[in-house]
Amino acid sequence: MKYILYMIALHVLLTGLVYQVFFQHKLLFIAAEVILFISIAIAAQLYQDFRQPVAFIRSGIEAIKDQDFTIRFVPTGKGEVDTLIEVYNLMIDQLRQERTRLQEQHFFLEKLIEASPVGLLVLDFDERVVQLNPTATRQFSDRILGKKLEETDQGLLQQMSTMPDGESRTLKTTGIQTYKVQRSHLMDQGFRRSFFMLEELTSELYEIEKAAYGKVIRMMAHEVNNTLGATDSILQTTLDFLTEPEFADLSEALRIASGRNGRLTLFMRNFADVVRLPLPRREDVSLNRLVEQVSLFMRATALNQGSSIHTPEPNEPCTLYADTAQLEQVLVNVLKNAIEAGGTEIRVEIQKSELAILNNGKAITSEESTQLFNPFYSSKPQGQGIGLTLIREILVNHGFSFTLKTQADGWTAFRIQFER
């Protein structure tokens, strides 16, 4: 703008001088006019030359602002301008290559996250869930989006909410599912955002655990049964010789010892049954009829403990493809545990794909809930932890999922899902 004003002022002055010459010398006036027009043309050309680099720069800035890295300028044949064009074209090529590389990396990372067996939860700045990969969606469903972890009704997420940044933990739900969870963070617009990575370890830990306790039980059963067999043989032989009245007390003591041996043998057999559990021999099973039969069998035991068992009225029949004897053993153990919980009522609910056995007895604490299906764990003073271990083995072999927890209404529910 200053250049234009300067040129206008200069040529106005020259025009005035030419006008003065007109009155004194006409030929000189014509020559001055020619020189004036040539000067105006040169000034206009110089202005265009000055504007061209600015126009290139403005166009380049607009293209970069619009993230359009496909625009390249063609050389004009003018040294200074061509140098500027060459620098711009080199810069835009590098930006385009960098953006392509970042897009390829981002695309690869998105595909990797989608295909990953590790679950990923991303939180926003307010600690609310804003993103789940497919693995995490299958585990938690997208209903948790927009919620804080402690606001959900899922125990695993509530446990995760207490984890500090950078920590890794092994967490267990109310079934047998076990997860390795790690909390970390990323920087977004200069602020920290947390994310979680979840890896399910259930299958691996289950196989390792089963192999370990199976080996221990087999060793124990072998040694104990050999000892008990020999000991009981000696006791019985001794009893055959102690028939005189003066040995009555000693004979009674030996009979008590023999009975104790029998109970210890049964004790070890219960442990061994878990290891020797055969694979299911499947057939079509009427769940309604099986529940009715087992409930009838356990009803007298429940009444003796001050409890009652309520089964649903026959409605739509539910048929399973399962091992009848093993499924019956599961129902007996679950009802036995419900009776021993000390409540007054036990309800059995059957749906198309789920069986629920509920009782209003002693609630399960949060500490107990993570230990329930550990091998041979029991919260009862005289418990062996055989029942839940056997239940777990049978249901896992059938491919049925299950949970055991106390609900918000105070009822404790054992739920078995037949469709996974």
Side-chain angles (χ1 to χ4, degrees), residues 1 13 32 102 107 123 142 170 217 237 252 278 294 299 349:
M1 181 59 69
L13 178 61
L102 290 175
F107 178 77
L123 309 183
D142 55 10
T170 299
I217 289 175
T237 302
E252 182 62 22
V294 174
R299 196 157 279 142
E349 300 175 353

Side-chain angles (χ1 to χ4, degrees), residues 43-62:
Q45 183 61 44
L46 289 174
Y47 177 71
Q48 286 296 113
D49 292 343
F50 289 154
R51 279 182 52 84
Q52 193 172 31
V54 176
F56 282 133
I57 293 172
R58 184 179 295 112
S59 299
I61 291 173
E62 290 297 326

Side-chain angles (χ1 to χ4, degrees), residues 325-343:
Q326 292 187 8
L327 197 57
E328 182 181 62
Q329 187 66 38
V330 168
L331 295 177
V332 168
N333 277 279
V334 174
L335 286 173
K336 177 175 176 290
N337 288 339
I339 293 169
E340 293 175 351

Side-chain angles (χ1 to χ4, degrees), residues 334 355-357 373 388 391 395 402-404 412-416:
V334 174
L355 169 67
I357 299 176
F373 291 96
L388 286 180
I391 289 171
L395 295 180
F402 55 95
T403 58
L404 173 57
T412 299
F414 194 112
R415 300 184 183 276
I416 305 173

Side-chain angles (χ1 to χ4, degrees), residues 200-364:
E200 186 170 2
L201 305 176
T202 306
S203 299
E204 293 82 353
L205 290 179
Y206 175 72
E207 293 300 329
I208 294 171
E209 185 181 84
K210 185 176 179 180
Y213 72 68
K215 183 176 180 180
V216 171
I217 289 175
R218 283 190 292 270
M219 292 173 59
M220 289 172 57
H222 176 76
E223 295 299 325
V224 171
N225 288 335
N226 285 346
T227 302
L228 291 178
T231 303
D232 198 60
S233 178
I234 294 172
L235 291 174
Q236 294 300 328
T237 302
T238 305
L239 281 171
D240 292 339
F241 286 99
L242 300 178
T243 57
E244 291 78 4
E246 62 267 25
F247 297 117
D249 291 342
L250 180 57
S251 297
E252 182 62 22
L254 292 177
R255 277 191 290 271
I256 293 173
S258 179
R260 177 58 183 157
N261 278 356
R263 287 191 293 273
L264 187 55
T265 300
L266 180 61
F267 178 82
M268 289 307 304
R269 186 179 299 129
N270 288 336
F271 279 101
D273 285 344
V274 177
V275 180
R276 293 197 301 262
L277 185 69
L279 293 176
R281 300 179 62 180
R282 296 176 184 263
E283 59 183 353
D284 288 334
V285 182
S286 171
L287 184 61
N288 304 73
R289 185 164 57 249
L290 184 62
V291 166
E292 186 61 38
Q293 291 172 350
V294 174
S295 299
L296 183 62
F297 173 72
M298 298 295 295
R299 196 157 279 142
T301 304
L303 289 174
N304 289 335
Q305 298 292 328
S307 183
S308 59
I309 299 176
H310 301 278
T311 55
E313 292 294 328
N315 45 26
E316 182 180 353
C318 180
T319 302
L320 301 178
Y321 190 57
D323 187 309
T324 305
Q326 292 187 8
L327 197 57
E328 182 181 62
Q329 187 66 38
V330 168
L331 295 177
V332 168
N333 277 279
V334 174
L335 286 173
K336 177 175 176 290
N337 288 339
I339 293 169
E340 293 175 351
T344 59
E345 184 180 354
I346 298 170
R347 297 203 304 257
V348 183
E349 300 175 353
I350 300 177
Q351 298 179 9
K352 184 177 180 180
S353 59
E354 181 183 271
L355 169 67
I357 299 176
L358 304 95
N359 73 83
N360 60 354
K362 180 178 177 291
I364 298 173

Side-chain angles (χ1 to χ4, degrees), residues 112-130:
L112 186 63
I113 290 174
E114 288 181 7
S116 174
V118 176
L120 181 68
L121 279 86
V122 182
L123 309 183
D124 62 11
F125 301 118
D126 296 322
E127 299 291 312
R128 300 183 184 275
V129 180
V130 292

